[in-house]
Amino acid sequence: MHTSSQQSSPEQREREQRFTQAPYRSYLYSYPHKTAYRDLHPAQSLKELWERDQTDYHFLYMHIPFCGVRCGFCNLFTLPDRRVDVHEQYVDALQRQAEQWAPWFQNRSFSRFAIGGGTPTLLEASQLNRLFDIAEHTMGLDPMLASISVETSPETVTADRMRVLKDRLVDRVSMGIQSFVEEEAAAIYRPQKPRLAEESLEALMSYQFPLVNVDLIYGLPGQNADTWLYSLEKAISYGPGEIFIYPLYTRENTILKPEQIRSAGDDIRLSLYHIARQRLESAGYRQYSMRRFAKDNPFDHKNVLPFSCQEEGMVGLGCGARSYTREVHYASRYGVSTAATRSIIEDYVTAERHDTADYGFILSEAEQKRRYILKALLHREGLELSAYEGRFGTDLLGEQPDLVELLGTGLAELDAGILRLTTDGLAYSDAIGDELISGEVRELMNGYILR
């Protein structure tokens, strides 16, 4: 637990409380958040947008918005739909989109490729294989120069699907398990029994992918320190190279409502986080962010091109995927309800052209700076002051008083020209990120803030 305030002045304690009084405010995995996107007037020509982009290396992402069921905590763009013909029509549309976009990326390189969702491996093996054909033969991905990641679920770890992933040189497979305790899984409407999760994880590990990730959630209804530690021990016992731990968040438009969490009694998420951090570190996992813990992995089987989390160059194919250039972020419209999601997907599948962006966010220079800061600061690597000055031509601490204030709390430190969160600070990453959101973005996100 954080204890430095015991030796702090009243002013320092007050400043620190600004960042720590509500640890779980919002999950800032991207900036600006998609809920801040609005109609773009006029619509942006994607050809011109990407011609102006100066990024050296790009991240190719495909979004598959289908799941077997919607989990109680999920607010992602996904639709419970197992129909093979629906999946096939969607992949046909994704291919049409890729064919229209491919000319803009002929002389560019992809250093990352990820397929997410939803549950991409809900697709039949043949359709899953098509996604890799589109990436390589249409978009120009060289799988030996890019790290490749795919999300999966316990029910879809089948021999034919895993063979596709192995044959297409996938490096990282991520499985969402969330809990190995049956009552906790049921409380968040997870479809699989813990036994299926255990069998599927064992099968997944047998394929010897370079990296396997397991997702777990803490703060579930009925969860306590003992049951949380049980799930952690189960995950560790299989030896995945990476474990992500997520605090449970809910919104008004998720199946599991915020009041259900509040009515459960005391919020024990922070104490469960500390249990996990200590156990994972003792098991040989190094902390890279509030959520990510990983073992050392030499990753020397490929010559992967460089990519920084602070860069833009995100090329998002598929309905629900986001794309980032330095000045403009864009995507399809946002929806969570079944009716809204289905309507947006139907519009995507029937569209003839995908060459303009009419929904997104235009980043001013101030927002570009804020994004750069947040994407670096919330990871263990931290923010290099000279890199910031080299990119924007200004002094970081001279123009960002919030960061100076953060340094005075003990939640961040400045060492050898790098500003990074301390171990204490990483525990409050979500609150720190929330404090650093601009007023403009916060106003646009109003109504969507996580609970």
Side-chain angles (χ1 to χ4, degrees):
M1 299 292 289
H2 183 64
T3 58
S4 66
S5 60
Q6 293 175 356
Q7 292 81 36
S8 301
S9 67
E11 293 79 10
Q12 288 173 314
R13 288 197 295 272
E14 182 179 346
R15 188 165 53 222
E16 181 182 318
Q17 194 172 31
R18 172 188 163 196
F19 295 100
T20 61
Q21 62 184 349
Y24 303 107
R25 305 179 201 174
S26 64
Y27 176 17
L28 194 75
Y29 58 89
S30 179
Y31 186 82
H33 193 274
K34 190 178 178 180
T35 53
Y37 291 10
R38 293 295 185 270
D39 291 335
L40 298 177
H41 300 293
Q44 303 276 316
S45 163
L46 294 186
K47 180 178 183 294
E48 295 176 4
L49 198 62
W50 284 108
E51 283 178 348
R52 296 198 304 269
D53 181 64
Q54 301 298 312
T55 309
D56 293 326
Y57 302 105
H58 294 74
F59 191 137
L60 178 62
Y61 174 70
M62 293 181 181
H63 191 78
I64 307 302
F66 303 111
C67 275
V69 298
R70 178 180 286 279
C71 298
F73 58 85
C74 179
N75 70 319
L76 300 176
F77 187 83
T78 183
L79 180 70
D81 198 328
R82 299 174 181 269
R83 292 176 292 173
V84 174
D85 60 327
V86 171
H87 299 172
E88 184 173 8
Q89 292 170 4
Y90 182 85
V91 177
D92 288 345
L94 193 147
Q95 181 159 3
R96 289 196 300 272
Q97 181 187 11
E99 288 169 352
Q100 293 173 27
W101 285 24
W104 312 331
F105 301 96
Q106 282 184 342
N107 299 314
R108 311 202 187 200
S109 299
F110 294 104
S111 57
R112 300 287 188 275
F113 173 42
I115 309 176
T119 306
T121 50
L122 192 67
L123 300 182
E124 295 287 326
S126 59
Q127 293 299 331
L128 190 59
N129 201 51
R130 278 188 67 192
L131 299 180
F132 291 93
D133 284 342
I134 293 168
E136 293 182 33
H137 306 321
T138 304
M139 295 301 296
L141 173 81
D142 184 341
M144 288 304 297
L145 298 179
S147 66
I148 303 175
S149 178
V150 177
E151 296 177 13
T152 191
S153 66
E155 65 174 328
T156 60
V157 178
T158 59
D160 56 346
R161 293 179 173 100
M162 295 302 104
R163 179 47 53 194
V164 170
L165 302 189
K166 287 292 289 186
D167 289 347
R168 304 314 291 253
L169 304 180
V170 170
D171 305 293
R172 178 181 180 271
V173 181
S174 178
M175 179 187 287
I177 290 178
Q178 320 316 349
S179 175
F180 287 97
V181 178
E182 185 167 352
E183 293 79 7
E184 294 173 2
I188 54 172
Y189 305 91
R190 290 290 292 176
Q192 84 276 345
K193 299 290 186 182
R195 184 59 194 158
L196 173 61
E198 294 175 30
E199 292 172 351
S200 298
L201 183 52
E202 184 175 356
L204 179 58
M205 295 302 299
S206 72
Y207 287 95
Q208 298 184 326
F209 288 99
L211 181 61
V212 169
N213 171 70
V214 172
D215 289 344
L216 298 175
I217 293 180
Y218 57 96
L220 300 173
Q223 191 176 57
N224 58 44
D226 290 337
T227 62
W228 173 230
L229 194 56
Y230 175 83
S231 287
L232 283 168
E233 296 291 359
K234 273 286 185 184
I236 291 169
S237 71
Y238 289 94
E242 186 177 69
I243 296 177
F244 269 70
I245 59 168
Y246 292 89
L248 177 65
Y249 277 120
T250 60
R251 286 181 174 169
E252 299 298 341
N253 49 13
T254 55
I255 298 172
L256 197 64
K257 302 302 182 187
E259 58 267 20
Q260 292 175 263
I261 302 302
R262 289 194 292 266
S263 66
D266 294 337
D267 188 345
I268 62 171
R269 285 177 291 183
L270 189 59
S271 64
L272 296 182
Y273 162 85
H274 286 291
I275 289 172
R277 182 185 63 79
Q278 293 165 10
R279 179 65 190 98
L280 289 168
E281 288 183 343
S282 70
Y285 292 85
R286 183 184 180 198
Q287 184 172 20
Y288 287 89
S289 70
M290 176 181 166
R291 290 164 172 78
R292 180 176 178 248
F293 293 78
K295 295 180 178 179
D296 290 335
N297 187 339
F299 209 86
D300 54 6
H301 60 288
K302 286 184 179 180
N303 185 26
V304 175
L305 297 171
F307 187 84
S308 167
C309 70
Q310 295 152 269
E311 294 298 328
E312 289 74 32
M314 172 73 81
V315 182
L317 295 173
C319 191
R322 282 175 284 185
S323 297
Y324 308 144
T325 66
R326 181 174 294 194
E327 298 176 357
V328 180
H329 292 190
Y330 64 92
S332 59
R333 277 160 175 72
Y334 183 74
V336 175
S337 72
T338 297
T341 305
R342 179 173 283 114
S343 175
I344 294 168
I345 293 173
E346 288 174 353
D347 288 345
Y348 171 78
V349 168
T350 57
E352 294 183 2
R353 301 297 305 173
H354 301 279
D355 52 7
T356 60
D358 60 3
Y359 188 74
F361 190 98
I362 299 176
L363 283 78
S364 64
E365 184 180 41
E367 293 295 3
Q368 291 176 35
K369 290 178 177 179
R370 198 170 297 269
R371 169 183 163 79
Y372 189 89
I373 291 167
L374 285 164
K375 293 293 287 182
L377 185 63
L378 301 182
H379 295 83
R380 174 66 80 178
E381 291 85 349
L383 175 57
E384 188 176 350
L385 271 62
S386 62
Y388 180 91
E389 184 175 355
R391 177 159 176 167
F392 297 108
T394 54
D395 173 58
L396 174 69
L397 298 179
E399 67 176 12
Q400 301 290 342
D402 284 345
L403 298 181
V404 177
E405 185 174 348
L406 180 64
L407 277 168
T409 65
L411 300 174
E413 62 186 2
L414 184 60
D415 180 38
I418 297 176
L419 175 66
R420 60 168 58 91
L421 298 183
T422 61
T423 298
D424 286 337
L426 285 172
Y428 295 96
S429 293
D430 285 358
I432 291 169
D434 182 71
E435 279 292 328
L436 298 179
I437 292 174
S438 73
E440 176 191 2
V441 169
R442 188 181 302 282
E443 183 176 349
L444 290 169
M445 289 173 62
N446 185 35
Y448 293 99
I449 298 295
L450 292 159
R451 304 304 202 276

